[in-house]
Amino acid sequence: MPAFPLSNLPRVATVREVGLRDGLQSLPVVLPTQTKLAWIDAAYAAGQREIEVGSFVPAALLPQLADTGDLVAHARRLPGLSVSVLVPNMKGAERALASGADLMLVPLSASHAHSLANLRKTPQEVVAMVGQMRAARDAAGSAMLIEGGVGTAFGCTLQGEVRPDEVLRLMQALLDAGADRVSLADTVGYADPASVSRLFGEARRIAGDRLCCAHFHDTRGLGLANVLAALETGVSRFDACLAGIGGCPHAPGASGNVSTEDLVFMLESMGIGTGIDMASLLALREEAGRWLPGQPLHGSVWRAGLPKTFHARPAVPA
Amino acid sequence: MPAFPLSNLPRVATVREVGLRDGLQSLPVVLPTQTKLAWIDAAYAAGQREIEVGSFVPAALLPQLADTGDLVAHARRLPGLSVSVLVPNMKGAERALASGADLMLVPLSASHAHSLANLRKTPQEVVAMVGQMRAARDAAGSAMLIEGGVGTAFGCTLQGEVRPDEVLRLMQALLDAGADRVSLADTVGYADPASVSRLFGEARRIAGDRLCCAHFHDTRGLGLANVLAALETGVSRFDACLAGIGGCPHAPGASGNVSTEDLVFMLESMGIGTGIDMASLLALREEAGRWLPGQPLHGSVWRAGLPKTFHARPAVPA
């Protein structure tokens, strides 16, 4: 064991805001488009440079995200912002290609049971679909990136255990099918730092930097400890939701993704540059309380405030 | 960087319950002695083997802890339970020696400003007092351990920065003055995993296993990430409060220490034995909600429940 176990961490990290997608899709409210645009602008002004603005899914299924096309149209005009959307099927992929988004995230659930319940496809069918998406992307001459997101990577509320070797196999299959990069998600909050360290360690050995992102839910309070464990394997991009919104359908009242403001606070406190200004982010978090009255908001640093000793590092584009 | 950064963690860890002291002293309620005895018994039945039951301070200052003597008298009859008390002065030390407690924790604040405000002594005067306590302990022929707890070790809400070299100097001074062991506390929630790794790494280099415990507050959400960072330096004893009770006088509504149930959940999930049964602990947590109506309770795992994949390890006396 090295003297200082944390001495080899990344010097910069990227926090990808997914509150507009993963957060809002789980809340029983439809945020007006104007409010979402204000959120995107404020996040951008605070220094966030990667935002997942919504999903291309039928509006009847997720009315909360029905304005995704409008959000992409607005967000892609912000210089240097990577605009991503979630896409569950070919129809969505076509809309994403037409929208001008920079990245589409294609979810695959490593849990067979969860995959059938949520996507109505087997994991292998999703892999095949990613191949078709890649062909469509290339045929369109688009530069849009395709990210395969392997969900329920640490277990599943339906089937329980998900085998790490199956997760790694599906991750490789996504890359082989044409995904530009992959990410791993603890969709239901089953991960712990030891399982994160093992799975991300193995996954990075296989995929290197093409394993580009970690997506943790804070359902059982381990979100930031899991981030730390992933950081130590070299991962330097993390999904997060403003105010930790989102929840978990299987755990009423539980929080959603790790909260953006707590995550940025942790990284910046550790000297890992995010390019994000904490004061602006906390102001946005306060705004979120007004936008979502009565909805459970999470996270801690907004309440306690920044330590006297907190010095934001010079903004580093991460 | 090793392939699996977390592969050298301790195999067992001790969670010391401090809710009856650090938690209750910050709440504006006086829990009846019978309720505290039920708490101690339930924690013991769940497998907890180290409990800080209170403080020997004037009842006029902390009426919440006025029954500490009765709690020690009860708790010391539980086989194998290490019963500790906090002691801020010689009068308290004499009461601790007479009580039959197994350990007394003597707090020293590394922040000069905080030390004067809270203890009305300079850090150096506390060091001298520990020398007197050691002499009194030895003169009494008592086996009671003396632990010097260095607080505000990561900064202070009054003076801001606290220099790590000053923390280490005071830690060594406590040992030289006769403390059997020492611990470091992030009294106000200013620590982050990087500062924890550096300070605990240095402190263990100096004190070895005589640096016996880490005490983290979850004020800004980094409590469990800080635990993970400390684990990686070899620390294997952590203070925690049932339901994260306690709060912070400088941050209304903020949580107190890391919550016992989330901490045990993290450790057991990682395969680190605590000897504590999660189901019993969660039942006790539910009880705490009835004991403390209207008080803010914290922590996450109680709400979401245990993962389907959670298998408690065989109880290991930690």
Side-chain angles (χ1 to χ4, degrees), chain A residues 1 4-6 157-158 161 190 192-193 205 220-222 224-225 228 232 252-254 269-270 300 303-305 307-309, chain B residues 1 4-6 157-158 161 190 192-193 205 220-222 224-225 228 232 252-254 269-270 300 303-305 307-309:
Chain A
M1 189 157 49
F4 295 112
L6 300 188
T157 47
L158 299 174
E161 200 196 356
Y190 273 26
D192 66 80
R205 213 192 307 277
R220 291 170 179 82
L222 308 192
L224 291 182
L228 181 61
E232 293 187 66
S269 296
M270 295 173 71
S300 294
R303 193 194 300 269
K308 272 191 180 172
T309 48
Chain B
M1 189 157 47
F4 295 112
L6 301 187
T157 47
L158 299 174
E161 199 196 359
Y190 272 26
D192 66 78
R205 214 193 305 278
R220 290 170 179 82
L222 307 192
L224 290 183
L228 181 61
E232 293 186 66
S269 296
M270 296 174 70
S300 294
R303 192 193 301 269
K308 273 190 179 170
T309 48

Side-chain angles (χ1 to χ4, degrees), chain B residues 93-146:
Chain B
E94 283 154 22
R95 292 172 66 192
L97 277 167
S99 76
D102 298 294
L103 184 150
M104 67 178 181
L105 178 83
V106 187
L108 175 153
S109 188
S111 155
H112 208 270
H114 187 267
S115 187
L116 290 176
N118 274 39
L119 300 165
R120 299 183 195 187
K121 292 184 183 76
T122 66
Q124 209 52 51
E125 286 168 345
V126 174
V127 169
M129 183 182 70
V130 166
Q132 292 176 280
M133 288 173 173
R134 171 63 183 256
R137 191 272 307 265
D138 292 349
S142 164
M144 184 178 67
L145 290 171
I146 300 173

Side-chain angles (χ1 to χ4, degrees), chain A residues 161-272:
Chain A
E161 200 196 356
V162 173
R163 291 171 55 98
D165 56 358
E166 180 68 359
V167 174
L168 296 171
R169 185 187 71 76
L170 289 165
M171 180 189 78
Q172 183 64 58
L174 284 167
L175 290 169
D176 292 344
D180 300 293
R181 58 195 215 180
V182 286
S183 49
L184 298 180
D186 177 28
T187 312
V188 296
Y190 273 26
D192 66 80
S195 59
V196 167
S197 186
R198 284 191 300 267
L199 188 62
F200 274 92
E202 281 290 0
R204 281 188 57 84
R205 213 192 307 277
I206 294 169
D209 285 340
R210 296 178 79 190
L211 172 61
C212 70
C213 188
H215 177 105
F216 293 119
H217 282 246
D218 195 37
T219 321
R220 291 170 179 82
L222 308 192
L224 291 182
N226 290 337
V227 166
L228 181 61
L231 269 173
E232 293 187 66
T233 71
V235 177
S236 64
R237 180 182 284 104
F238 299 92
D239 285 348
C241 280
L242 183 66
I245 61 170
C248 172
H250 308 284
S255 59
N257 288 77
V258 292
S259 98
T260 304
E261 60 278 13
D262 285 7
L263 174 56
V264 172
F265 169 65
M266 182 172 88
L267 293 169
E268 291 284 335
S269 296
M270 295 173 71
I272 298 172

